[in-house]
Amino acid sequence: MVGNESESFISLIKKGNKSSLIAAIGNTIIAIAKFFAGTISGSGALFASAMHSTADAVNQGFVYIGSILSEKKPTPRFPTGFGRVINIFCMVAVIVVTIMAYETIREGWHLIQHPAEMGGGFWINVGVLFLNLIIDGFILVKAMKEINVESRSEAKGFGVVTGAFRNVGRAAPPTRLVFYEDLVAVSGAALALIAVVVISLTNFVMIDGIITILIGLLMIGVAFRVGYDNMVGLIGVAAPKDIEERITGIILNDKDVTDINKMRILQEGRYYHVEARIELREGFSLAEADDIKIRVAEDILKDPDIADVGIGIIEDDGDIDWKPRK
């Protein structure tokens, strides 16, 4: 097994998911502002939005720590590395979101049955929600750009948005979490803003509870989506087709390799583990064949998405065994 060298703790911190860190800081500021404004006005929708921002801040800070730990390279005791650690942290984040969603829906139902009398602070509410839209909008755009970078998709302008939705499944787990959570955060802030404005202009106070429940349901949607993605990651999932094609190209471009007898590429976190058995031209000594194996493995490890490589070698059997995945 060939793997990258171990790294210092400082280098691991630098490799931590920056989208998660920025989102955690931003949502902490937003949550404090929302709770303050919600206390003044008594807005249930603002309370729900504040709960969501609190959940986001806790989750994203927690996931940032997980992203640092997942960057550790394989060790003799843990030969496949720590990539799946981030999936565990994300699953804990899912539990937090689910609990917050339950509390939000319960509060919404209470507000429908017993609408709260709105206090003052209309402009405070509006100002806080606009601040929410600006900060979470910035974080969402940052996450979209990160998705395109991680999926190696070149995108500019509005293509960043479409590329993010198209390639989100190929992004690192913490980046996906930030993307989904802030997509709901922006939507929730917009809905809460609608509730505040409608209540200030009409007597339709029930909209406060309705939108509170709607925000809670959006949080549940995020929990299921992120939970599913990370459950698959914990089980172990095959690499996307384009990653397989990229590794296949690296192997078959070697002048002494004639075929790939068998190959498996497993995704763990944001990295991939490659196991392959390759066929070599006839006539090599054992020492020469071993040098070729090392050379191929080193070529594969030049790809920054690959964590480690295991290569086996056999002599060319005269048949074409490798068939690209459809």
Side-chain angles (χ1 to χ4, degrees):
M1 186 73 70
V2 179
N4 293 325
E5 296 179 359
S6 60
E7 298 173 305
S8 67
F9 183 68
I10 298 299
S11 66
L12 290 176
I13 291 178
K14 290 179 179 178
K15 284 188 174 183
N17 188 269
K18 294 180 178 60
S19 293
S20 297
L21 178 60
I22 293 171
I25 295 170
N27 279 297
T28 299
I29 296 170
I30 293 169
I32 293 171
K34 285 178 180 176
F35 276 120
F36 175 74
T39 301
I40 293 175
S41 66
S43 170
L46 201 58
F47 167 80
S49 191
M51 290 286 283
H52 183 219
S53 294
T54 302
D56 285 353
V58 172
N59 284 345
Q60 290 154 353
F62 194 59
V63 168
Y64 174 68
I65 296 171
S67 72
I68 293 173
L69 296 176
S70 70
E71 292 290 337
K72 286 178 61 65
K73 300 304 177 187
T75 65
R77 186 178 181 186
F78 301 100
T80 60
F82 299 84
R84 296 189 194 187
V85 168
I86 189 58
N87 296 107
I88 297 173
F89 274 72
C90 285
M91 289 301 287
V92 174
V94 167
I95 295 172
V96 174
V97 172
T98 303
I99 293 172
M100 291 292 189
Y102 166 74
E103 292 296 333
T104 301
I105 292 171
R106 191 175 72 166
E107 175 65 16
W109 181 245
H110 174 75
L111 287 170
I112 289 176
Q113 293 179 313
H114 308 283
E117 291 187 12
M118 300 300 291
F122 170 78
W123 290 111
I124 293 177
N125 289 346
V126 171
V128 167
L129 289 169
F130 266 113
L131 176 67
N132 186 175
L133 287 170
I134 292 170
I135 293 178
D136 270 327
F138 170 78
I139 295 170
L140 182 60
V141 171
K142 179 76 171 65
M144 288 179 174
K145 291 179 178 178
E146 199 73 23
I147 289 170
N148 284 286
V149 169
E150 291 175 356
S151 62
R152 298 191 181 187
S153 174
E154 296 183 5
K156 294 181 180 179
F158 192 71
V160 172
V161 178
T162 57
F165 279 94
R166 185 171 58 251
N167 299 311
V168 63
R170 295 168 54 194
T175 306
R176 289 202 301 266
L177 179 71
V178 171
F179 173 74
Y180 288 131
E181 285 196 337
D182 277 275
L183 193 61
V184 172
V186 171
S187 303
L191 289 170
L193 185 59
I194 291 171
V196 169
V197 172
V198 169
I199 290 173
S200 70
L201 298 175
T202 71
N203 292 322
F204 185 43
V205 292
M206 191 178 290
I207 192 174
D208 197 23
I210 293 171
I211 286 184
T212 300
I213 290 176
L214 185 56
I215 292 172
L217 293 174
L218 289 173
M219 292 169 70
I220 287 179
V222 168
F224 272 102
R225 177 72 250 185
V226 176
Y228 171 78
D229 286 347
N230 285 280
M231 180 183 67
V232 169
L234 284 169
I235 294 171
V237 62
K241 187 172 183 288
D242 65 308
I243 298 293
E244 182 181 281
E245 291 173 349
R246 202 158 77 212
I247 302 305
T248 299
I250 293 172
I251 295 174
L252 295 180
N253 280 340
D254 190 279
K255 59 185 178 63
D256 295 318
V257 176
T258 59
D259 193 13
I260 300 173
N261 181 265
K262 185 179 294 186
M263 182 169 66
R264 183 179 70 174
I265 307 175
L266 189 68
Q267 182 174 4
E268 292 190 351
R270 61 182 289 260
Y271 293 108
Y272 301 93
H273 297 272
V274 179
E275 295 179 7
R277 187 162 62 208
I278 60 177
E279 297 181 15
L280 307 181
R281 291 188 295 108
E282 297 180 1
F284 290 113
S285 66
L286 183 60
E288 290 171 331
D290 195 53
D291 288 341
I292 295 169
K293 178 180 73 172
I294 294 172
R295 182 178 71 215
V296 171
E298 289 176 345
D299 285 342
I300 295 172
L301 281 171
K302 290 176 183 177
D303 190 308
D305 294 329
I306 306 303
D308 62 3
V309 179
I311 297 288
I313 51 175
I314 59 175
E315 195 172 66
D316 188 0
D317 60 7
D319 297 325
I320 301 299
D321 298 306
W322 181 247
K323 294 179 176 59
R325 184 171 47 171
K326 294 183 180 179

